[in-house]
Amino acid sequence: MTTDRAPAADRPRQGTSGGSLYATERQQEIMRYATAAGRVEVAQLARDLRVTAETVRKDLNALQQLGLLRRVHGGAVPVNQLLAEPEVAARTEWTEEKKRIAKAALAELPPQGSVFIESGSTTALLAEQLPPDLQLIVYTNSLPVAMMLTPRPQLTVITLGGRVRAVTLGEVDNFALRSLREINVDVAFLGANGISLERGLTTPDAAEAEVKRQILRSARRRVLLVDRTKIGEAALWRYGELSDIEVLITNDLDAEQSAALNAAGPHVVVV
C-alpha cells in the first residue's frame, strides 16, 4: 500500500545519537505520531523507529491495553478517532482518489433496471459521472444526489423520504426504512466509514446503520466504494459483514491486504 510520508518533524523519532529507544520512549513516539496523523501503520513505524514489525505490534498491543490506541488491520488508531463523522461539506479529503473509485464503479452499472445510490461523498461522485445516455430508475436517500440527477429526463429518480441528517444530508428513520422494505434493486452502491476483517462494515450513526442494513437486504448485487483511509477502521455501529458485499472498490491496497479482503467475500478492485 502506498503510504503518504509524513514530514520528518512529524515522524516518530529515534533515540539520541542514533541509539535505540526504550519501549516506553517508543510508545510515547508512537502516540505522538498517532495523535498528529490520525493513525499509524506497522510497516512505517518499523522503518522510522528502526525496529522489527513484531516489536511495533507489541508496542501497539501495550498501548491498546492502556486504552490509548485501538488495533486495526495493519496498524492502529487513537481511540478518540473512532467516532468522528465529518459533515458533508467538509468531506473533501482524497477527492482525486474518490473520483477514480467512482469511475471504476461505472463498470458495475446494469444496462437497464434499477440502482440505489446511498448518501456519501464517493457515491455522490459516482452519480456525477453517470453516462448521459443511461436509462435507469435511481433510488437514493441522498438529497444532493437526487437534486443532481432529477434534471436528467432519461432517469427516474426516487427518494426514500424520512428525516434528513444534517451531517450527511441523507434520509433515515421509519419513512426511509419503510420505502426500502418495499423495493428490490438490481445494484446498490454504498459507502462506509470503516471496513475491517474483524469488525465488518461500520458507521458512526445508529440511524444510518439501520438504513444501510436494509439497503443490503433490498439489493440483488451490492458494491462498496471506500477510499483506503477507511480500510482497517471501525466506527461505532456495525451494519454488515464483508461477505454481504459482492464488489469492493478502493485504492492503493497492497497485495496482502487485497488478498485478505478477497478471502472474506468481496471481489476487490484496486484503482
Side-chain angles (χ1 to χ4, degrees):
M1 180 175 69
T2 302
T3 303
D4 292 333
R5 185 79 168 167
D10 293 332
R11 296 199 300 269
R13 294 184 289 265
Q14 301 165 32
T16 57
S17 302
S20 298
L21 295 171
Y22 292 111
T24 301
E25 294 174 311
R26 276 198 317 271
Q27 291 164 18
Q28 288 174 343
E29 286 300 302
I30 290 171
M31 280 305 305
R32 183 182 64 82
Y33 182 49
T35 301
R39 66 171 293 147
V40 288
E41 296 181 359
V42 171
Q44 189 67 59
L45 287 174
R47 288 193 292 271
D48 287 338
L49 294 170
R50 296 186 181 179
V51 294
T52 66
E54 182 58 31
T55 295
V56 171
R57 292 189 188 98
K58 289 179 180 178
D59 286 336
L60 296 182
N61 288 337
L63 291 166
Q64 180 170 258
Q65 290 176 354
L66 292 171
L68 299 174
L69 290 181
R70 188 185 188 294
R71 291 298 310 275
V72 297
H73 184 66
V77 294
V79 293
N80 60 3
Q81 298 287 328
L82 291 176
L83 304 182
E85 184 180 21
E87 293 189 8
V88 68
R91 299 181 184 198
T92 57
E93 300 87 355
W94 304 93
T95 300
E96 291 306 314
E97 289 82 357
K98 291 179 180 182
K99 285 181 179 178
R100 293 204 306 270
I101 292 167
K103 185 175 181 179
L106 295 175
E108 302 300 326
L109 289 168
Q112 57 186 4
S114 60
V115 299
F116 189 96
I117 300 179
E118 190 193 16
S119 63
S121 55
T122 309
T123 47
L125 290 170
L126 167 65
E128 189 176 276
Q129 297 186 57
L130 290 181
D133 57 346
L134 191 67
Q135 297 186 22
L136 286 175
I137 299 172
V138 179
Y139 292 92
T140 185
N141 69 325
S142 167
L143 295 187
V145 167
M147 294 176 66
M148 183 192 311
L149 297 182
T150 296
R152 296 174 54 167
Q154 74 276 25
L155 298 177
T156 300
V157 181
I158 302 173
T159 65
L160 300 182
R163 175 174 66 89
V164 178
R165 292 191 67 222
V167 176
T168 62
L169 298 182
E171 298 164 330
V172 296
D173 291 346
N174 289 337
F175 283 108
L177 292 169
R178 186 184 306 167
S179 297
L180 279 169
R181 294 187 189 107
E182 298 297 323
I183 65 173
N184 296 290
V185 296
D186 295 302
V187 184
F189 296 93
L190 303 100
N193 294 79
I195 168 175
S196 72
L197 297 173
E198 299 84 3
R199 300 289 177 176
L201 313 176
T202 56
T203 187
D205 184 77
E208 294 269 7
E210 283 296 326
V211 168
K212 289 173 181 287
R213 288 190 195 103
Q214 189 58 51
I215 295 170
L216 293 175
R217 299 187 190 106
S218 298
R220 290 196 303 110
R221 183 172 175 82
R222 292 144 297 209
V223 181
L224 186 68
L225 315 181
V226 291
D227 65 78
R228 70 176 177 87
T229 64
K230 311 295 175 48
I231 306 295
E233 302 289 356
L236 184 60
W237 293 92
R238 184 175 187 151
Y239 68 87
E241 308 293 339
L242 280 164
S243 57
D244 293 326
I245 300 298
E246 278 75 31
V247 180
L248 166 63
I249 305 177
T250 187
N251 65 299
D252 294 341
L253 284 191
D254 60 32
E256 181 180 355
Q257 289 177 311
S258 183
L261 291 168
N262 261 309
H267 170 62
V268 179
V269 177
V270 181
V271 298

